[in-house]
Amino acid sequence: MERGSRILEEAFPDPVPECGEDIPQYSAHQWDTVPTSQHGFARDNRFQCVRETADTVSFLFSSNEETKEVYPFDFELMVTYVLKEDRIQVMWEVKNPADETMYFTIGGHPAFRFAGKDEVKADYLLKFPGKEELQYVLIDPAEAAVDPKKVHELKLDGECYQVSEELFEHDALIFDGGQIGEVWLYHKDGTPYVGMKCEGFPNFGIWSVKDAPFVCLEPWMGRADNIGFDRDI
């Protein structure tokens, strides 16, 4: 995974309590309106290591006075990583200690660095097992929101799509409707490099930036608002 990059210095793996941005960066809760920020606040805070074994580590982040200023709920967020041979299992646990309904979204933002020092996006393929084509939407930069009326097709060749700089020229590709439960980065010669299984996630983002030596594979439970969303939770 990519670490230490200036581009990703704020890209904590778990955006909470939202993935993307709300319009106009406010969320309505009962009669209150609270400010929000892109990808939420969890990534800006320090997690406490509460468990560490030879193959498992767990980190905890809980609500406090500062989080209450931007998110009016008590919560506990536990992130656990388990090493199983050549795989890493990631588990998110969100606990609501109160009786009221707690609104939130959560998602991953891991960046996978290319294997070779001089490799570029064109050296890789995206592989979607069992898929022939996918549909995605984009974020309208002028609105900072998704335009659901403009749906784009990603037509695959043998379950694969060539990675390129042009693929991300309009920011992240957002796949709704639980289309992606498994995705891989393959070397262009057809050998697998790294993959992700994430069954049950309704949204998925694939993202990179110009000339960056990585691709982000991002399972989300929720995403940025659609254009024109009226803020009625």
Side-chain angles (χ1 to χ4, degrees):
M1 295 176 65
E2 171 76 350
R3 299 188 64 182
S5 168
R6 178 187 61 80
I7 297 170
L8 291 182
E9 61 186 3
E10 295 185 353
F12 189 83
D14 307 296
V16 173
E18 59 189 304
C19 304
E21 290 189 64
D22 289 337
I23 295 183
Q25 298 190 38
Y26 282 82
S27 295
H29 167 58
Q30 296 181 356
W31 298 278
D32 298 325
T33 300
V34 294
T36 65
S37 60
Q38 186 179 33
H39 298 324
F41 52 74
R43 63 179 184 166
D44 299 322
N45 286 270
R46 184 177 296 275
F47 282 58
Q48 179 185 3
C49 181
V50 295
R51 182 189 181 196
E52 184 176 1
T53 69
D55 59 6
T56 302
V57 61
S58 297
F59 300 94
L60 177 65
F61 175 56
S62 302
S63 55
N64 54 52
E65 292 183 4
E66 291 184 358
T67 65
K68 283 294 191 69
E69 293 180 1
V70 295
Y71 183 64
F73 301 103
D74 288 314
F75 68 89
E76 291 183 357
L77 170 61
M78 182 83 75
V79 182
T80 298
Y81 300 88
V82 181
L83 181 63
K84 296 184 176 181
E85 298 180 347
D86 61 347
R87 295 175 294 148
I88 297 178
Q89 183 179 24
V90 183
M91 293 173 286
W92 303 325
E93 298 177 71
V94 181
K95 294 184 179 180
N96 176 11
D99 294 330
E100 65 176 330
T101 300
M102 182 178 75
Y103 299 94
F104 74 96
T105 63
I106 187 170
H109 200 0
F112 297 95
R113 188 179 181 89
F114 302 149
K117 180 180 179 181
D118 298 321
E119 287 187 325
V120 296
K121 293 183 177 69
D123 292 315
Y124 286 86
L125 306 170
L126 285 164
K127 184 178 178 67
F128 305 91
K131 303 293 184 179
E132 296 181 357
E133 64 178 28
L134 297 162
Q135 291 76 44
Y136 66 94
V137 291
L138 299 169
I139 294 177
D140 185 322
E143 300 287 345
V146 172
D147 187 347
K149 297 180 180 180
K150 295 182 180 179
V151 179
H152 307 265
E153 289 190 359
L154 196 72
K155 295 185 178 181
L156 309 180
D157 181 5
E159 304 180 331
C160 293
Y161 195 87
Q162 175 67 56
V163 182
S164 66
E165 293 291 348
E166 293 74 24
L167 184 61
F168 306 106
E169 63 182 354
H170 299 295
D171 208 343
L173 283 63
I174 301 173
F175 301 85
D176 292 332
Q179 296 179 74
I180 297 178
E182 181 177 356
V183 58
W184 288 77
L185 270 177
Y186 270 48
H187 296 283
K188 62 182 179 181
D189 65 3
T191 58
Y193 173 49
V194 65
M196 176 184 293
K197 293 184 178 180
C198 50
E199 295 292 341
F201 284 83
N203 315 101
F204 199 96
I206 301 179
W207 176 79
S208 189
V209 292
K210 183 175 175 55
D211 299 326
F214 62 80
V215 170
C216 289
L217 305 177
E218 309 180 7
W220 300 338
M221 286 285 183
R223 63 158 173 78
D225 289 335
N226 289 337
I227 293 175
F229 182 63
D230 62 8
R231 296 181 290 165
D232 183 6
I233 292 179

